């Protein structure tokens, strides 16, 4: 029996068009190719001055391919030895897998000692991405041997008042400062209003320090 007798011509035309449309959608939804980097992962570190407790709600990435990745890091930060000033780099590190080098970083966090919620969009200059893929011969103190290392780590340092400092460095290489930025207050509050204004509870040790010494604004 002829196909035309089973399916009317107009309906057959619509069916063929639908199949072509589905094929096009399927080909367009293929996952992107893995980024071509000299290492499997680069890292984001979270840092804050001692006692100046923070809770990071999210770190999002727009990579140099124009692809967005959400909540690649968050939670508690690593803390410096002193409340005033910074050390360079470090912090609580997390590997960022299958993401190309960052073009922009989006950071939203709670400064628990104030308390206040902040947000910021941080542009990453091209020289930083160049540094991240440039090998450098260095004697590594950890392994006691010469290696080719990369500055594949980006640290985000957060301080009260919405101050953010950014560094790029490597495990065996020094950190270079990318810039100092001023975040804006998140008008919706913590968790963009989803917690009804409730912040993460501050640790008693940190609260006791703030109650006794205050917040050293202007030292970061």
């Amino acid at each position: 029996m002829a196909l035309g007798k089973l399916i009317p011509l107009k309906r057959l035309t619509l069916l063929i068009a639908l199949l072509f449309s589905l094929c096009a959608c399927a080909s367009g939804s293929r996952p992107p190719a893995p980024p071509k980097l000299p290492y499997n992962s680069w890292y984001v570190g979270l840092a804050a001055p001692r006692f100046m407790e923070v809770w990071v709600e999210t770190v999002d990435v727009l990579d140099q391919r124009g692809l967005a990745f959400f909540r690649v890091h968050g939670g508690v930060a690593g803390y410096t030895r002193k409340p005033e000033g910074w050390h360079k780099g470090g912090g609580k590190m997390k590997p960022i897998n299958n993401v190309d080098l960052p073009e922009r970083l989006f950071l939203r966090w709670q400064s628990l000692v104030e308390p206040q919620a902040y947000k910021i969009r941080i542009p990453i200059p091209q020289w930083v991405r160049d540094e991240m893929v440039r090998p450098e011969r260095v004697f590594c103190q950890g392994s006691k041997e010469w290696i080719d290392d990369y500055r594949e780590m980006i640290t985000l340092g957060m301080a009260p008042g919405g101050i953010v400092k950014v560094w790029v460095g490597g495990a065996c290489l020094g950190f270079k400062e990318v810039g100092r930025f001023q975040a804006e207050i998140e008008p919706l509050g913590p968790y963009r209003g989803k917690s009804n204004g409730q912040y993460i509870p501050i640790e008693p040790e940190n609260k006791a320090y703030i109650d006794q010494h205050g917040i050293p604004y202007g030292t970061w």
Side-chain angles (χ1 to χ4, degrees):
M1 187 177 294
L3 183 61
K5 294 182 179 179
L6 289 175
I7 304 177
L9 182 59
K10 184 179 293 186
R11 186 176 298 176
L12 179 62
T13 302
L14 290 173
L15 180 60
I16 293 173
L18 177 62
L19 289 174
F20 273 111
S21 175
L22 290 174
C23 290
C25 291
S27 63
S29 62
R30 291 175 183 171
K36 296 179 179 179
L37 299 175
Y39 34 76
N40 294 327
S41 305
W42 55 278
Y43 293 78
V44 169
L46 306 177
R50 189 178 182 188
F51 302 118
M52 304 298 129
E53 189 176 354
V54 303
W55 177 264
V56 178
E57 295 181 1
T58 184
V59 178
D60 307 325
V61 178
L62 180 69
D63 75 9
Q64 63 181 352
R65 299 171 296 180
L67 300 178
F69 299 84
F70 302 97
R71 297 179 179 86
V72 300
H73 203 354
V76 298
Y79 293 92
T80 64
R81 296 179 181 178
K82 300 187 302 180
E84 301 86 4
W86 293 103
H87 67 275
K88 292 184 177 180
K92 177 192 172 187
M93 290 287 173
K94 182 179 179 181
I96 310 301
N97 302 309
N98 297 318
V99 179
D100 213 330
L101 299 181
E103 184 173 304
R104 289 188 183 89
L105 295 174
F106 300 83
L107 173 63
R108 194 172 72 249
W109 84 97
Q110 300 174 25
S111 173
L112 302 183
V113 298
E114 298 179 87
Q116 188 62 262
Y118 294 101
K119 64 179 180 178
I120 189 172
R121 179 178 63 180
I122 303 169
I124 303 299
Q126 183 59 47
W127 73 261
V128 174
R129 290 188 290 275
D130 293 341
E131 284 283 342
M132 294 179 75
V133 294
R134 182 173 64 87
E136 187 171 329
R137 195 72 176 169
V138 63
F139 183 78
C140 191
Q141 294 296 332
S143 62
K144 304 299 181 184
E145 61 183 357
W146 287 91
I147 64 169
D148 289 325
D149 199 14
Y150 293 89
R151 287 185 169 88
E152 78 273 45
M153 300 176 178
I154 292 182
T155 292
L156 305 175
M158 293 152 281
I163 302 301
V164 180
K165 264 204 171 184
V166 182
W167 299 267
V168 60
C172 298
L173 294 170
F175 279 78
K176 297 183 178 182
E177 184 173 321
V178 176
R180 181 181 184 273
F181 304 89
Q182 176 64 60
E184 60 181 300
I185 292 174
E186 170 54 71
L188 298 177
Y191 292 111
R192 290 185 170 174
K194 294 180 180 179
S195 66
N196 296 318
Q198 296 297 310
Y199 288 85
I200 294 291
I202 188 172
E203 292 292 333
E205 177 190 13
N206 298 327
K207 184 178 186 306
Y209 180 90
I210 297 302
D211 289 343
Q212 182 176 357
H213 301 282
I215 299 174
Y217 290 108
T219 65
W220 304 296

